[in-house]
């Protein structure tokens, strides 16, 4: 009899455990999940923040063509979506005046439209110098910047600008055109800052 009683107690305990834990699982409702499909075109490129140093900011091109880092005391101007500008003016420089004391860099995404990079550069130089007001002061030469192939040249109009055109590789359908001008009469180190910005450039496609 004691064994029968013990068996009954064990059965009751097991049944209680099942109802308490196993049975409740049947009553648990799965939470509703709202899923949103993200189009690849809406995914913004990002810069690996491990590359950021103290006092730096990052910029990612909305077309997912390039990214770069820049000092936070530079101003970023994206009012013209085609030409992204970052610049720094010396305290003595009057606002809205021609850059005579500071640094300016302009980035532009180029659709090569099936052209070779060199053909596009030749076309751009011809367009820029066609009216005679702008002169080619340093001829086009092949370069490699951050491991990317490209070309550089210099132009002179109201001031002198250095120009660089880069593509990720020779199969790229896009390129990045970079034009920069530096005026540093007080030796503030703008050239070193521009060099660091260009060294952080990454091409994504």
């Amino acid at each position: 009899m004691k064994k029968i009683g013990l068996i009954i107690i064990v059965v009751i305990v097991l049944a209680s455990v099942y109802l308490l834990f196993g049975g409740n699982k049947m009553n648990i409702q799965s939470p509703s999940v709202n899923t949103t499909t993200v189009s690849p075109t809406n995914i913004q490129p990002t810069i690996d923040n491990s590359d950021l140093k103290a006092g730096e900011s990052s910029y990612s091109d909305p077309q997912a063509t390039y990214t770069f880092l820049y000092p936070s005391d530079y101003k970023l101007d994206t009012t013209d979506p085609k030409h992204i500008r970052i610049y720094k003016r010396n305290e003595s420089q009057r606002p809205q005046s021609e850059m005579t004391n500071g640094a300016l860099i302009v980035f532009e995404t180029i659709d090569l439209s099936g052209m070779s990079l060199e053909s596009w550069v030749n076309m751009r130089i011809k367009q820029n110098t066609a009216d005679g007001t702008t002169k080619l002061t340093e001829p086009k030469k092949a370069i490699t910047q951050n491991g990317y192939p490209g070309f550089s040249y210099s132009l002179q109009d109201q001031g002198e600008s250095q120009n660089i055109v880069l593509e990720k590789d020779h199969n790229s359908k896009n390129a990045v055109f970079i034009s920069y001008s530096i005026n540093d009469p007080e030796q503030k180190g703008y050239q070193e800052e521009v060099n660091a910005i260009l060294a952080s450039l990454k091409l994504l496609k």
Side-chain angles (χ1 to χ4, degrees):
M1 295 295 294
K2 289 184 179 180
K3 290 184 178 180
I4 295 174
L6 182 60
I7 291 172
I8 292 174
I9 292 173
V10 170
V11 170
I12 293 173
V13 170
L14 290 175
S16 300
V17 169
Y18 172 78
L19 291 176
L20 181 62
F21 294 101
N24 284 346
K25 289 183 180 179
M26 299 176 62
N27 296 326
I28 297 174
Q29 298 296 322
S30 299
S32 60
V33 177
N34 294 324
T35 59
T36 302
T37 301
V38 179
S39 171
T41 57
N42 293 330
I43 299 175
Q44 295 296 315
T46 57
I47 294 180
D48 182 359
N49 285 334
S50 64
D51 291 338
L52 284 171
K53 299 176 183 177
E56 284 187 323
S57 299
S58 63
Y59 176 78
S60 299
D61 168 39
Q63 299 180 54
T65 305
Y66 63 90
T67 64
F68 63 84
L69 308 176
Y70 63 97
S72 295
D73 57 353
Y74 275 65
K75 293 186 178 180
L76 174 67
D77 181 359
T78 59
T79 53
D80 177 0
K82 185 177 180 180
H83 300 97
I84 303 304
R85 294 159 33 100
I86 58 171
Y87 62 93
K88 180 178 180 180
R89 293 177 179 269
N90 188 273
E91 296 82 359
S92 62
Q93 173 83 45
R94 290 185 294 111
Q96 308 305 322
S97 62
E98 182 184 346
M99 186 71 73
T100 58
N101 197 337
L104 167 68
I105 312 177
V106 181
F107 295 83
E108 178 183 353
T109 299
I110 303 301
D111 181 356
L112 294 174
S113 300
M115 298 177 65
S116 69
L117 186 64
E118 185 169 12
S119 297
W120 185 90
V121 172
N122 291 339
M123 180 185 69
R124 174 60 74 94
I125 293 174
K126 185 177 180 180
Q127 290 174 346
N128 288 341
T129 58
D131 61 2
T133 60
T134 300
K135 296 181 179 181
L136 184 66
T137 55
E138 183 180 328
K140 175 196 71 181
K141 65 178 179 180
I143 63 168
T144 300
Q145 172 78 35
N146 302 353
Y148 307 122
F151 297 90
S152 69
Y153 61 93
S154 299
L155 296 174
Q156 177 77 43
D157 45 24
Q158 294 181 346
E160 185 163 0
S161 64
Q162 307 296 321
N163 301 278
I164 299 174
V165 190
L166 301 171
E167 59 184 352
K168 184 176 182 181
D169 54 54
H170 295 302
N171 297 317
S172 297
K173 297 179 180 179
N174 299 93
V176 177
F177 173 78
I178 307 163
S179 179
Y180 65 92
S181 58
I182 301 170
N183 288 286
D184 194 6
E186 300 177 21
Q187 301 297 309
K188 295 289 187 177
Y190 298 134
Q191 182 66 63
E192 289 75 12
E193 292 174 348
V194 169
N195 290 345
I197 293 169
L198 296 179
S200 75
L201 179 71
K202 294 182 181 179
L203 303 188
L204 306 177
K205 63 180 181 180

